[in-house]
Amino acid sequence: MKNNSRSLFIKHSIISIIAPSAQKYWQFIKFCLVGVANTSISLVVYYIFITLEVQYLLASTISYCAGLLNGYVFSSSFVFKQQRNTHQALKFMMVNMFSLLLNLLFLFVLIDLWGISKIMAQIAATSFNVIFNFLLNKLWTFKSKQVADSH
């Protein structure tokens, strides 16, 4: 009996140490999965507009907006598991509009100043924005009450 109790205690201790870390990584993985869907939508739309010879900054703006609604719905319900509300939606829009401005700035620098291809520049800008968006949405838009109360 004592061995079972000790074994159970050790298993519980290991799980209590690993579970919070796994939860943090799992949340980022889910954010990336939603991001892959949004990015895929955005890149396809961007490619279509570039092929139609639409100016690249306008093409990027339109393509970015194409994934925005999908991003909010799945970020709030699947990634951060929170009820959607107007205040949160406004924060999400602010984060994403700022991210869009950064994206456009990166595109301008990478394409017009450094001569990188339009597709590669978009991929590079998007890579930065994944991390930027996750951190701002986690720490501000979808900040849980537990985190807010502990500060």
Side-chain angles (χ1 to χ4, degrees):
M1 216 30 118
K2 208 171 193 180
N3 259 349
N4 275 344
S5 296
R6 185 177 303 151
S7 177
L8 189 60
F9 173 76
I10 292 170
K11 286 180 186 176
H12 183 331
S13 297
I14 292 171
I15 289 171
S16 67
I17 291 169
I18 294 173
S21 294
Q23 177 69 19
K24 288 178 186 177
Y25 292 121
W26 179 237
Q27 188 178 52
F28 182 70
I29 290 168
K30 290 191 301 185
F31 183 82
C32 288
L33 290 173
V34 171
V36 165
N38 296 339
T39 301
S40 297
I41 292 167
S42 294
L43 287 174
V44 167
V45 172
Y46 181 77
Y47 179 78
I48 290 168
F49 280 104
I50 290 298
T51 302
L52 296 172
E53 298 184 11
V54 173
Q55 199 274 342
Y56 73 88
L57 293 174
L58 178 61
S60 183
T61 302
I62 294 168
S63 68
Y64 192 86
C65 292
L68 196 59
L69 178 62
N70 181 60
Y72 177 64
V73 169
F74 284 101
S75 288
S76 61
S77 61
F78 176 63
V79 178
F80 298 105
K81 297 193 184 282
Q82 293 187 4
Q83 295 278 337
R84 290 183 289 280
N85 61 61
T86 305
H87 185 252
Q88 181 188 74
L90 289 173
K91 284 181 165 184
F92 186 83
M93 291 295 290
M94 287 171 40
V95 166
N96 281 279
M97 289 301 106
F98 187 65
S99 180
L100 174 61
L101 292 174
L102 285 176
N103 188 75
L104 296 174
L105 176 64
F106 282 142
L107 287 179
F108 173 76
V109 169
L110 294 174
I111 294 167
D112 288 346
L113 301 181
W114 293 1
I116 295 176
S117 80
K118 293 174 184 169
I119 300 297
M120 291 307 297
Q122 183 67 37
I123 291 169
T126 299
S127 299
F128 170 80
N129 278 333
V130 166
I131 296 166
F132 175 81
N133 279 348
F134 177 75
L135 291 174
L136 249 58
N137 280 311
K138 179 175 179 58
L139 299 173
W140 187 56
T141 306
F142 299 107
K143 185 176 184 180
S144 70
K145 291 182 187 221
Q146 290 175 324
V147 174
D149 291 343
S150 69
H151 288 245

